Amino acid sequence: MIKDLVGMGVLRSERVVRAMSKVPRELFLPPELRKYAYLDTPLPIGFGQTISAPHMVALMTELLEVQVGNKVLEVGTGSGYQAAILAELVGDEGHVYTVEIVKELVEFSRENLMRAGYLGRVTVIHGDGSLGYEAASPYDRIIVTAAAPDIPNPLVSQLRPGGRMVIPVGDAYLQHLTVVRKDVDSSVEVEVGTPCVFVPLVGRYGWRE
Ligand code: SAM
């Protein structure tokens, strides 16, 4: 599957190829769906939520440009798969904070991350990630894996100057992967990219409280 993503030109960064090759996607799926782990498609993880398709994980991870030692915030833990890939990229010197609003998925992702050996580098928080996670801010990188109506202000505030955020922004049916760059003088640049379809971000800065 990884070879296919490289062949299609979706995966270009050597570091992301290595990280995605190391994390076993089947460990982040309910047992009955593990046989589909290496199909390039989103899969249900319960509670109306999905684990994103590998090509989308590849695309977002490349756009995020994670460096060793980075402190990363993910909004929308889901299965914990994306968080595990981020943990591979930040290494022992970095850390991943990931916020999930569905309590049962907090437990599901923690179990998956523990089984896969990533819980040391990843902290899973139960809460409304549209507000970010102030306690560990500022972040070098922020990734949102649910569809937002707009770029939430708290996330921009919690981004370190020089930092970068990747977030799908749009309506309920179609979004665009959007890259937000915060300059060292704290000015913000927004670049709208590839079309995509995500489950909605809910909460204070999402589609509904
Ligand atoms: N990154 C996940 C993975 O690797 O499995 C996939 C994420 S799934 C496409 C989107 C997730 O965002 C769902 O688990 C959903 O419950 C969560 N979500 C939606 N709104 C949220 C919010 N305001 N705060 C935190 N999580 C939220």
Side-chain angles (χ1 to χ4, degrees), residues 55-56 59-60 144 146-148 166-178 193-199:
H55 73 269
M56 191 47 67
L59 202 57
M60 291 183 87
V144 180
V166 176
I167 176 169
V169 180
D171 60 29
Y173 302 100
L174 182 70
Q175 307 91 41
H176 287 86
L177 283 185
T178 303
T194 314
C196 55
V197 179
F198 275 83
V199 294

Side-chain angles (χ1 to χ4, degrees), residues 5-207:
L5 294 177
V6 173
M8 287 188 299
V10 175
L11 249 178
R12 274 171 274 209
S13 147
E14 251 319 301
R15 293 195 66 228
V16 178
V17 170
R18 244 180 287 132
M20 287 193 68
S21 307
K22 267 184 110 171
V23 180
R25 190 171 182 246
E26 73 269 16
L27 293 187
F28 295 85
L29 287 168
E32 66 280 10
L33 294 179
R34 286 187 187 152
K35 55 181 177 287
Y36 304 120
Y38 297 101
L39 296 180
D40 188 15
T41 180
L43 290 166
I45 53 172
F47 312 94
Q49 304 304 327
T50 54
I51 180 173
S52 304
H55 73 269
M56 191 47 67
V57 173
L59 202 57
M60 291 183 87
T61 309
E62 291 218 345
L63 284 172
L64 201 58
E65 298 182 0
V66 178
Q67 309 295 316
V68 170
N70 275 174
K71 186 168 26 155
V72 182
L73 174 69
E74 180 193 28
V75 177
T77 318
S79 66
Y81 177 65
Q82 173 77 70
I85 288 163
L86 296 170
E88 276 292 338
L89 290 166
V90 301
D92 279 336
E93 304 98 283
H95 200 80
V96 179
Y97 293 86
T98 178
V99 187
E100 172 57 54
I101 205 160
V102 177
K103 182 86 181 86
E104 290 86 346
L105 290 177
V106 170
E107 279 147 29
F108 178 63
S109 61
R110 275 199 191 123
E111 275 165 30
N112 297 341
L113 286 160
M114 179 144 59
R115 221 161 352 118
Y118 291 103
L119 210 47
R121 282 187 207 168
V122 180
T123 304
V124 185
I125 298 123
H126 179 219
D128 176 5
S130 79
L131 300 168
Y133 181 59
E134 181 81 49
S137 68
Y139 301 96
D140 302 295
R141 300 288 184 268
I142 298 179
I143 179 169
V144 180
T145 61
D150 282 303
I151 300 164
N153 283 333
L155 299 185
V156 178
S157 307
Q158 290 173 31
L159 195 58
R160 194 191 295 282
R164 195 176 172 88
M165 164 161 52
V166 176
I167 176 169
V169 180
D171 60 29
Y173 302 100
L174 182 70
Q175 307 91 41
H176 287 86
L177 283 185
T178 303
V179 177
V180 179
R181 278 186 224 96
K182 193 184 225 181
D183 216 332
V184 281
D185 64 2
S186 287
S187 62
V188 171
E189 236 179 76
V190 175
E191 195 185 320
V192 178
T194 314
C196 55
V197 179
F198 275 83
V199 294
L201 180 76
V202 296
R204 172 78 179 79
Y205 288 86
W207 286 98

